[in-house]
Each structure stands twice: as structure tokens, then as C-alpha cells.
Amino acid sequence: MLFPDASAVEFAPGAVLFRAAVEPMAEDLLREIDGVISVSPLRTVMTPMGKSMSVEMTNCGRVGWVSDRTGYRYEACDPLTMRPWPTMPALFAEVAATMAARAGYESFAPDACLINRYSAGSKMGLHQDRDERDFSKPIVSVSLGLPIRFNFGGECRTDPTTKIDLQHGDVVVFGGVARLAFHGVGTLRRGVHELT
Ligand code: FE
């Protein structure tokens, strides 16, 4: 894979970190997130195992990721509002396509965006993003606010993980041979960030 971008760090094959890539547009991104939340509010969801997740979630785009007692899946309608998820802001699609291309994944046009809000004590266990139909497309992850530990492993849950402290404005893109890598997020520590 080609990395013309000097600021890109390939921390695992197929997985690239861009430090502070969206920091200059963080306030615009947060404003768009506020717009999404005003239509489809953040909510706590249950896992199929009946545990409530510690992060709050919502979505925008043509479909959104949902979890409940019947499983994980994508749905065109928000189960909370019974209405279609909010349209994905053009800025999100632009950021995702641009960052994917910078990581070597050309022609990415996202149709779904999951928004996870971590508060103090929230975390995300190791998991694979495998509810999508097309694994040839990458995952583009944008971090805003307080720093948090990101753990990135391999295709087996027990594979060793690379640990990265994600900071405000960082973008991670993973696809190709890394597309089904297990990944998770450590516990958010209490703190204050001026924008979040
Ligand atoms: Fe994930």
C-alpha cells in the first residue's frame, strides 16, 4: 500500500493513524454532531447478552448500527424515533473519503456513521466491526475530546494489541488486511476538554 503522506503512521498492516488530522475542523464536526443528536438523540443500548453498553450512541447516514436483545445489525430507521437516521453531514463524508484515500483506500463513499460518546468510566471491549456487508471498505474513526487508549489487535481475539493514546482530532483508518482486526477502547478518565 502507498503512503504518500508523511504524517501517516501505519501502526499495523492496513491500519493508519493520522495525528490531529481533523483538529482544525473539530468545532465544525462537533456542531454537526449536535445537529445529528438533536434529531436522533444519544442513547444507551443493550448488547444481545443483556448488558447495557457504557458508551452512548447514535448514527447518521443511510443506515445506522443498532444493538438490542435480538443482536447487532444495521437499520435504516432509528428504533428510538421510528424515523430514518439523520442525513450524514457532507463534512463527515468528505472527511471519511479524504482520510480513507490518504490511507490508500480510494473511492470510499460512506453510507453509515456511528457516533459513540464516552463519558468518564466509559469503555469499549475488544470487538470486530463485522456487521457491514462490504469488508472491502475501510473503517474511518475520528476522535474528539479527551485522550483515550485505543487497543488494536489482529483477527483473533487473543492476538497481541498495539496501544495508541488517541487524542483530539486524531483519525484512524483501518481496512484491507486489518479490516476485521479486533479493537477496543480503554476506560475514559475523568477530565475536561474545552470543546467537549
Ligand atoms: Fe469498532
Side-chain angles (χ1 to χ4, degrees), residues 44-54 57 65-74 124 126-128 130-131 157:
T44 302
V45 303
M46 296 284 268
T47 69
M49 306 298 285
K51 284 183 64 179
S52 77
M53 297 186 69
S54 63
M57 296 179 171
W65 188 83
V66 300
S67 173
D68 60 23
R69 293 304 293 261
T70 66
Y72 304 131
R73 63 199 175 277
Y74 279 88
M124 179 78 70
L126 274 183
H127 66 277
Q128 292 171 297
R130 49 186 274 182
D131 302 315
R157 185 177 290 278

Side-chain angles (χ1 to χ4, degrees), residues 124 127-129 139 174 183:
M124 179 78 70
H127 66 277
Q128 292 171 297
D129 293 350
I139 301 292
F174 58 101
H183 56 280

Side-chain angles (χ1 to χ4, degrees), residues 100-175:
R102 283 173 69 181
Y105 304 104
E106 299 292 341
S107 309
F108 178 47
D111 54 8
C113 174
L114 171 63
I115 297 168
N116 292 333
R117 183 167 70 184
Y118 292 74
S119 48
S122 297
K123 60 181 187 295
M124 179 78 70
L126 274 183
H127 66 277
Q128 292 171 297
D129 293 350
R130 49 186 274 182
D131 302 315
E132 299 73 32
R133 278 194 197 141
D134 184 356
F135 296 141
S136 75
K137 301 303 178 192
I139 301 292
V140 178
S141 170
V142 173
S143 297
L144 297 168
L146 291 169
I148 202 164
R149 173 63 59 88
F150 184 54
N151 301 308
F152 196 87
E155 282 196 26
C156 294
R157 185 177 290 278
T158 52
D159 285 343
T161 57
T162 300
K163 294 159 185 15
I164 295 171
D165 285 315
L166 290 178
Q167 317 216 9
H168 181 66
D170 287 356
V171 175
V172 169
V173 180
F174 58 101

Side-chain angles (χ1 to χ4, degrees), residues 15 17 20 23 25 31 43-44 77 87 105 136 156 159 172 175 181 186:
L17 166 67
E23 200 277 331
M25 62 199 85
R31 199 173 305 118
R43 80 290 307 268
T44 302
C77 278
T87 302
Y105 304 104
S136 75
C156 294
D159 285 343
V172 169

